[in-house]
Amino acid sequence: MSRSLGRMSADAAHQRTASEEEFRSYYGRRVLKEPVWEWFVPAYLFAGGLSAACAELAAGADLTRRPRLRKAARLGAFGGLGTSMYFLIADLGRPERFHHMLRVAKPSSPMSVGTWILVAYGPGVGVAAVAELLPSRLRRSRAGTLLGALARPAGLASAAVAPGVASYTAVLLSHTAVPAWNEARDRLPFVFTGSAAAAGGGFGMVCVPVDEAEPARRLAAVGAVTELVTSRQLDERLGVVSEAYRTGTAHRLRRWSEYLTAGGALGSLVAGRSRAAAVVSGLALLAGSALQRFGIFEAGVESTKDPKYVVVPQRRRVDRGEQA
Amino acid sequence: MTVSRESFFGPLDDVSGDAGYTEHPQRVGFFTDTSVCIGCKACEVACKEWNLLPDDGFDLLGMSFDNTGELSANSWRHVAFIEQPAPARESSPAREAAPAREADAVDLGLPSFDLPGAGTGEETRTDFRWLMSSDVCKHCTHAGCLDVCPTGALFRTEFGTVVVQEDICNGCGYCVSGCPYGVIDRREGDGRAWKCTMCYDRLGDGLEPACAKACPTDSIQFGPLDELRERARQRVETLHERGITEARLYGEDPNDGVGGDGAFFLLLDEPEVYGLPPDPVVPTRDAGSMWSRAGVAAAAFAAAAVSVFFGRSRR
Ligand code: SF4
Ligand code: SF4
């Protein structure tokens, strides 16, 4: 009832203190605009995170002589990057103008910062992947030798930027007026890097025989635990907006993410003994990471549809006399 | 031009100077005094006409006289209509004079025998009031939309206003989520972001914006922001003296979460009743802390990636 306007102001002021659910609005309409982004964006978040974690695994495998892990991870990093670039461009209202992103470098815009992070990240990933794919008869040619020599420094360079790729996307979402993303700003980077590590580790477990996949299993376990712990905090510690995470589609997606990630993490403990177990756990981790991104995205969208998430926390701040 | 914390949050005296203009005109803005708005929507129409905006469809929303609904890519002025019960004013002389029996009677709207214009208007007032308010882009001192735009399509003009360049925008949609007032939006079928320009083209020719020009009651006032703020303060004082204690300014305070609005309002109820956020904050306020948290997470991610390659195999 409080959402409609058929109430006098003194009356409503009374109601508001009675319960946090009571608030006033303009015909119950949204205050903010919903994000115009579609499923491409959470898919990008997932693919980008996967790529970053693979780049790390690839560099480590290269230095510790694990050729099969190196190959799979380099290709994973490349594939993840390619897919994420596709998603990023496809989500633009004017995809043919994507290069307008390159006309400025703007520290106040996480999307601009991210663009330049990807510019720094991409070439190394590309070189390392092409070196991996080169047919053996071309390897002895002059270009092939050069590429072979460049692969390691290129891979290491991209591995140095990869943590930025895995974490900046959290700022990308939080640096908005979208309540569920903005209020999660202190925790989202950890959920995202955890989710990225779990996905990359899972990918390694799926693609690489168990005797070389030990680092992938460990990365998966560390990532999954980080993700599970910090993701729970979104449900509980964000005041009114936690409800956006705890209800509806966002909740369903994130609950499944939790099951799959927890299952995959447990599986990673025994995945050293069985390839089948490794593949199943790896797939569970990949799916868990993807669902996490979609769930968080969805919570943000929901939090713009209901004026409650905007009005209630702000009204409370005003009533307490706190300054923004 | 120096970039400091004030460039992103808090009061900022010279917005255009901060954006890099060495010589520029005074900052201009809108003061929308909703206490005199009659809900004629001349502003909405004038804006559509001048800026050649497409229609938003012909929906009947069932929200009093409001069939526009909200600001959008195609509606850069939006008149809100709020019907609410209002307590009778103690000071009203007409109410004191009115016999109780008549006050209880139901008005069937039949023509009366009184001479037109014989009364003062007071005697016809009921325990009901109608609020009307013409909303618009706030042209924030610290504009969330402008801060996040990755192409530079959104820019600060020499007048201190915020404008999208349609030939640059690639429709990334970041501004839509960056605006704490829910103003800017992407246009369907066009793919680019659109919002009020405060008639940048007219300002350049020394004209006032179309909405302010069309407003028949001067509810929309255009001018140098400093003058408008002064005038608004006086108006609130006058209204308070007349017993309208609920009159308040919204968005005029340079100490608020967006550094003050270039377009601010005089409201007669709480902002959320008009569909406005009670205490909006530009997301950029927390940019520093967000990046440092991301830095910590990135470092932990890197450390984990290195450490998984060390240590004895536990297989
Ligand atoms: S109200 Fe929104 S669209 Fe207008 S200047 Fe402020 S942030 Fe930008
Ligand atoms: S949609 Fe256009 S104006 Fe908005 S942030 Fe993207 S490029 Fe800038």
Side-chain angles (χ1 to χ4, degrees):
Chain A
M1 190 42 218
S2 63
R3 291 185 190 198
S4 70
L5 285 152
R7 213 176 261 286
M8 295 178 355
S9 56
D11 194 11
H14 234 84
Q15 299 259 332
R16 201 171 45 236
T17 41
S19 147
E20 63 174 40
E21 291 295 315
E22 300 291 339
F23 67 99
R24 306 171 75 200
S25 73
Y26 185 63
Y27 297 93
R29 292 180 75 97
R30 61 182 185 180
V31 174
L32 300 174
K33 292 283 182 286
E34 276 163 54
V36 294
W37 297 331
E38 308 211 17
W39 64 269
F40 293 125
V41 166
Y44 159 70
L45 300 176
F46 167 71
L50 172 64
S51 172
C54 282
E56 300 290 49
L57 282 178
D62 186 20
L63 294 176
T64 58
R65 297 205 179 75
R66 289 179 167 92
R68 282 172 298 182
L69 178 60
R70 186 194 71 199
K71 179 168 187 184
R74 278 181 175 173
L75 297 181
F78 187 62
L81 179 65
T83 336
S84 66
M85 296 314 292
Y86 168 76
F87 288 140
L88 267 190
I89 293 172
D91 204 60
L92 297 176
R94 289 283 173 106
E96 75 282 4
R97 291 186 177 178
F98 77 92
H99 62 279
H100 287 194
M101 302 270 189
L102 301 173
R103 61 188 285 285
V104 288
K106 238 174 107 172
S108 68
S109 168
M111 196 179 282
S112 177
V113 174
T115 301
W116 292 104
I117 289 179
L118 290 173
V119 166
Y121 173 72
V125 169
V127 169
V130 172
E132 214 56 75
L133 287 174
L134 211 61
S136 46
R137 75 193 147 74
L138 285 183
R139 286 200 184 170
R140 270 184 290 279
S141 72
R142 195 176 303 166
T145 332
L146 182 66
L147 203 59
L150 276 180
R152 176 169 292 181
L156 289 175
S158 63
V161 187
V165 175
S167 60
Y168 99 83
T169 45
V171 185
L172 182 77
L173 292 195
S174 288
H175 198 292
T176 60
V178 176
W181 298 341
N182 185 264
E183 297 280 327
R185 58 186 178 264
D186 282 346
R187 307 173 201 273
L188 217 48
F190 299 94
V191 183
F192 276 20
T193 49
S195 171
F203 180 83
M205 287 160 63
V206 172
C207 299
V208 182
V210 291
D211 54 331
E212 262 193 36
E214 164 112 48
R217 292 194 293 275
R218 289 179 175 175
L219 188 63
V222 176
V225 171
T226 309
E227 183 189 336
L228 288 170
V229 171
T230 52
S231 162
R232 266 294 164 100
Q233 298 174 346
L234 305 182
D235 286 337
E236 288 152 13
R237 307 235 184 120
L238 305 181
V240 180
V241 301
S242 268
E243 204 183 311
Y245 287 98
R246 276 201 312 260
T247 52
T249 313
H251 172 66
R252 277 195 298 282
L253 291 167
R254 295 179 70 251
R255 195 180 44 192
W256 275 105
S257 162
E258 194 173 73
Y259 294 155
L260 289 163
T261 305
L266 288 176
S268 73
L269 301 177
V270 296
R273 285 191 284 271
S274 146
R275 184 70 203 271
V279 171
V280 172
S281 328
L283 289 174
L285 288 164
L286 284 163
S289 171
L291 291 178
Q292 175 73 270
R293 310 304 182 116
F294 279 84
I296 288 173
F297 182 79
E298 188 60 32
V301 173
E302 276 308 310
S303 72
T304 57
K305 288 186 190 165
D306 190 335
K308 165 175 73 184
Y309 297 114
V310 178
V311 173
V312 171
Q314 293 190 15
R315 171 51 57 196
R316 213 178 277 166
R317 204 159 61 215
V318 174
D319 288 349
R320 284 202 204 115
E322 291 166 23
Q323 276 244 316
Chain B
M1 174 190 177
T2 49
V3 176
S4 58
R5 184 170 157 76
E6 286 74 54
S7 302
F8 299 108
F9 190 72
L12 181 65
D13 286 336
D14 182 6
V15 273
S16 301
D18 186 71
Y21 296 93
T22 42
E23 271 179 40
H24 58 81
Q26 269 182 297
R27 183 177 183 189
V28 293
F30 286 129
F31 165 41
T32 306
D33 178 356
T34 70
S35 69
V36 294
C37 177
I38 54 170
C40 70
K41 301 192 197 178
C43 50
E44 280 192 27
V45 176
C47 177
K48 285 252 182 199
E49 295 244 339
W50 181 262
N51 294 298
L52 300 171
L53 301 182
D55 71 71
D56 256 335
F58 297 97
D59 300 329
L60 292 175
L61 300 178
M63 294 163 25
S64 190
F65 272 20
D66 179 5
N67 292 311
T68 307
E70 59 186 20
L71 292 172
S72 72
N74 301 334
S75 298
W76 299 351
R77 274 273 177 193
H78 161 234
V79 184
F81 291 77
I82 298 129
E83 299 173 19
Q84 50 176 223
R89 281 194 200 292
E90 309 256 312
S91 62
S92 162
R95 202 160 293 288
E96 278 155 27
R101 186 168 35 83
E102 249 176 64
D104 290 339
V106 176
D107 180 11
L108 297 175
L110 295 171
S112 78
F113 296 100
D114 297 337
L115 279 176
T120 61
E122 280 271 4
E123 64 279 358
T124 61
R125 287 190 190 158
T126 60
D127 289 354
F128 167 86
R129 69 172 178 170
W130 212 352
L131 302 179
M132 295 145 206
S133 164
S134 178
D135 195 10
V136 70
C137 166
K138 317 300 178 289
H139 294 274
C140 312
T141 300
H142 301 294
C145 62
L146 168 57
D147 282 351
V148 300
C149 175
T151 63
L154 273 155
F155 78 111
R156 178 81 57 187
T157 72
E158 64 273 33
F159 301 103
T161 55
V162 179
V163 173
V164 195
Q165 302 170 81
E166 64 208 47
D167 53 340
I168 304 294
C169 172
N170 67 7
C172 74
Y174 207 7
C175 52
V176 177
S177 295
C179 169
Y181 293 94
V183 169
I184 192 165
D185 205 358
R186 207 158 77 174
R187 184 178 290 166
E188 297 262 336
D190 171 273
R192 292 170 296 178
W194 299 88
K195 73 166 191 75
C196 162
T197 68
M198 211 181 271
C199 288
Y200 189 40
D201 49 351
R202 293 173 61 96
L203 296 195
D205 283 348
L207 299 170
E208 66 177 322
C211 56
K213 184 85 190 166
C215 178
T217 62
D218 253 356
S219 172
I220 300 175
Q221 302 176 27
F222 167 81
L225 195 55
D226 291 339
E227 282 175 28
L228 293 179
R229 282 178 175 157
E230 188 44 43
R231 204 184 300 164
R233 266 189 288 274
Q234 286 172 11
R235 174 70 182 155
V236 172
E237 252 172 55
T238 311
L239 288 175
H240 283 184
E241 275 163 21
R242 288 197 205 150
I244 305 174
T245 49
E246 67 270 31
R248 74 205 69 192
L249 295 181
Y250 174 80
E252 96 297 352
D253 182 3
N255 291 302
D256 70 15
V258 298
D261 291 329
F264 64 97
F265 302 79
L266 186 154
L267 304 179
L268 297 176
D269 203 340
E270 286 166 348
E272 57 265 39
V273 172
Y274 297 86
L276 297 163
D279 187 25
V281 176
V282 64
T284 323
R285 178 191 67 179
D286 301 308
S289 81
M290 286 190 276
W291 282 113
S292 56
R293 293 291 282 191
V296 173
F301 179 79
V306 171
S307 62
V308 295
F309 284 94
F310 286 105
R312 222 159 35 85
S313 166
R314 52 177 163 73
R315 193 157 47 88

